[in-house]
Amino acid sequence: MILDAALVVLAVAAVVATVRVVVGPTDADRVLAVDLGFVVLLAALALLALRLGAPALLDLVLVGTLVGFLATVALARLAARRSG
């Protein structure tokens, strides 16, 4: 029950992040929204791993966090280069 509610909250956060990617006035806003969307996706995957009892999905979450960190650094450098 609580996991279902948490998944609904994450779905709302994903919608908000998607809107920010589309509407965001600056590139920095869009980069931040993409990063938020990725974190929400990983959190939802972790919750699904708990709900389904599939610990193998947690390995995917671990790899995703490492990839997400590198992508955030790359996108931040790109946004900094484009803005100035």
Side-chain angles (χ1 to χ4, degrees):
M1 178 74 177
I2 292 178
L3 291 178
D4 295 334
L7 285 170
V8 169
V9 170
L10 287 174
V12 171
V15 169
V16 170
T18 303
V19 168
R20 194 64 179 168
V21 167
V22 173
V23 176
T26 65
D27 288 338
D29 290 329
R30 289 184 173 95
V31 167
L32 188 63
V34 167
D35 190 39
L36 173 67
F38 192 69
V39 168
V40 166
L41 177 73
L42 290 175
L45 193 60
L47 286 176
L48 283 174
L50 288 175
R51 188 169 191 269
L52 299 175
L57 288 177
L58 294 175
D59 293 337
L60 187 60
V61 171
L62 180 63
V63 171
T65 55
L66 295 173
V67 170
F69 171 73
L70 294 175
T72 300
V73 170
L75 288 172
R77 291 187 68 189
L78 179 68
R81 190 175 299 147
R82 290 180 78 187
S83 67

